[in-house]
Every structure is written in C-alpha cells, then in structure tokens.
Amino acid sequence: MDKETIADLIDTKHTMLIDWLNEQPSVSWTEGPEGKWTTGQHALHLLQSIKPLNNALSLPKFVLRYKFGTANRPVRDYDAIVKRYEERLEQAKGKTYKGSQNMKVPSLKERRYILNRLQTESKKLQYKTKKMSNKHLDHLILPHPLMGKMPVREIIMWTAHHVAHHTETLKSKY
C-alpha cells in the first residue's frame, strides 16, 4: 500500500471512530457492558497506542535503526497484517497489553481532550507517513507488544486496522 493510501486510510478510520464517539450519549463514556471497557477506555487505549508510534517516528532514523534494527523480510500487505493480528488476538485471548491493563475510566471532563488528542495524533501520523521515505517505511522496524517487530509501513497500516477493529467492537456492542 502506498503512502498516500495509508494516510487516507488512517484519516478515514479515525474520522469514522471520532464521529461515532461524538454521537454517543455521555453515559456510555463512563459506563460499558459488564466486564468490558467503556467507550472512554476504548478511546484512551487508542490514544495510548498511537502516541508512542508518533513519538518513535519523531526520532532520527538512525536512532530507530540502532535501537530496533532493520527488516529482514518484505513488507506484508494490509490483508495479511489484519489476518496475522486477528490470529494473535485469538492466541492471546483474555490478555491485555500491559499499558492497557487496569486502565482508569476517563471522566466525562476528559472526553473532549481525549477525542481532540486522538484527532491530532491521527493528523500527525498522516503527515509523518507522507513525509517518510519509502526506504525508511519498508526497512526500519518498530516493536509491537502483540505482533513483535514490524516494518514501519506495516505498523502504520496496523494502526488503521486497530482503530477500525475498536470502532466495529463499539458499534456492535455499545
């Protein structure tokens, strides 16, 4: 998938999520189905996952290369990434990434801030994706807590799917 298409996908998926969240009643922000996250926790989780990616992409490329290495395989396409993620989720049934375990329920006062930050981080990621060279997108790698090390292009495509995955969960169960 080329850079422009990935950036557009990030925009589309985040816009769909934020529009849906803005339409929801305030009560769903702090209350969710029994034993499940609230809509606020879903939004906070997505913010917690995109911020480190943007922070990493702000580092000089030689730092990423030194710290994480370079890819030893070709980049997978979007569908292959989605399939692999779904398989890994199934294997990790019931486990939650350390940073999202025991997540606090964001207050209603934090709703506007979290949604604005999520939108801002999405725009940053779109910009960074378009600005980064194809060589760096394909050869630099970053760690993912569930998927292992991934080329930057893949982790950005995964980010779009991650947002879509949570949006679909919210739409179907909330």
Side-chain angles (χ1 to χ4, degrees):
M1 193 179 286
D2 67 73
K3 296 190 291 189
E4 292 294 326
T5 305
I6 296 169
D8 290 346
L9 190 62
I10 291 284
D11 183 46
T12 301
K13 299 303 182 185
H14 279 88
T15 299
M16 287 172 59
L17 171 71
I18 291 167
D19 288 350
W20 188 86
L21 288 170
N22 280 323
E23 293 171 2
Q24 300 314 299
S26 297
V27 70
S28 69
W29 184 258
T30 54
E31 296 176 16
E34 184 67 33
K36 300 290 184 188
W37 283 350
T38 67
T39 56
Q41 286 173 307
H42 279 275
L44 182 59
H45 168 73
L46 292 169
L47 182 59
Q48 288 173 339
S49 75
I50 196 172
K51 281 178 72 173
L53 176 56
N54 276 332
N55 290 343
L57 296 179
S58 295
L59 294 170
K61 304 309 174 245
F62 77 88
V63 172
L64 297 178
R65 189 178 313 107
Y66 175 75
K67 192 165 181 167
F68 304 115
T70 56
N72 61 1
R73 60 172 176 77
V75 173
R76 294 180 176 106
D77 66 20
Y78 182 81
D79 292 334
I81 294 163
V82 169
K83 183 177 185 243
R84 192 161 187 264
Y85 176 62
E86 298 299 329
E87 289 168 357
R88 293 287 174 98
L89 269 183
E90 191 61 37
Q91 292 168 359
K93 208 68 166 167
K95 294 181 186 171
T96 306
Y97 164 63
K98 190 173 94 178
S100 295
Q101 288 174 348
N102 305 316
M103 188 184 330
K104 73 176 186 100
V105 176
S107 71
L108 206 48
K109 290 179 183 177
E110 296 172 290
R111 181 179 180 168
R112 183 62 24 223
Y113 172 78
I114 290 171
L115 294 182
N116 285 342
R117 287 299 313 149
L118 196 52
Q119 196 163 32
T120 300
E121 294 295 331
S122 167
K123 295 298 180 196
K124 278 186 193 177
L125 185 57
Q126 292 167 53
Y127 174 78
K128 289 171 192 240
T129 301
K130 291 177 186 177
K131 190 175 175 217
M132 198 173 213
S133 73
N134 283 313
K135 179 183 172 190
H136 286 141
L137 284 168
D138 294 342
H139 295 291
L140 293 176
I141 57 175
L142 291 171
H144 183 280
L146 184 64
M147 307 270 286
K149 290 183 176 180
M150 300 171 71
V152 171
R153 187 182 303 268
E154 284 185 17
I155 208 163
I156 296 171
M157 288 190 285
W158 171 84
T159 300
H161 173 67
H162 188 223
V163 172
H165 171 81
H166 281 271
T167 303
E168 290 308 313
T169 298
L170 287 165
K171 284 181 176 180
S172 68
K173 297 182 178 173
Y174 290 73

